[in-house]
Amino acid sequence: MEPIIRAGETYALARDMDRESALRLWFAPEAEVFVAEDERLLGTYRLVENHEGGGAHVANCGFMTDPSAGRRGVGRAMCAHALERAKQRGFRAMQFNFVVSTNSHAVRLWESFGFATVGRLPKAFLHPAHGYVDALVMYRTLENGLHREAP
């Protein structure tokens, strides 16, 4: 997590965030956290409700892949697992709230899994190399997801 947070290119987190704060955020009680490993940690993702109440049927995930594990299919494997796990938990859709538009690898990956850009937040992210860039809201339904009954 540290190299990704320090780079400041894909997450709207303080680049000087300390370890304890990062772990507290990632492992918050409401999050279900998974890791990908192959003799070492390659990546992690967290699955949560995007919102409470009337939005509790929509999942949200955050993904981080070790930069040295890039182009090995780790992100693809984690996304496939996340979508399946979200269905198992009864979510009916998944939404990414803040995909940095310059993170073209992630945008292409999410699109390959059927996510559509449903919103664009103009110049919402301050990228350390590109300045102010757009953030995307990406969404897809989860076919065969279980129906969560209304209270």
Side-chain angles (χ1 to χ4, degrees), residues 9 21 26-27 32 42 44 50 67-69 87 146-147:
E9 296 176 344
S21 297
W26 203 254
F27 291 97
E32 187 174 18
L42 301 174
T44 181
N50 196 44
S68 69
K87 288 179 195 178
L146 304 173
H147 177 69

Side-chain angles (χ1 to χ4, degrees), residues 62-73:
F63 296 82
M64 291 192 188
T65 303
D66 184 321
S68 69
R71 309 289 187 229
R72 291 185 49 194

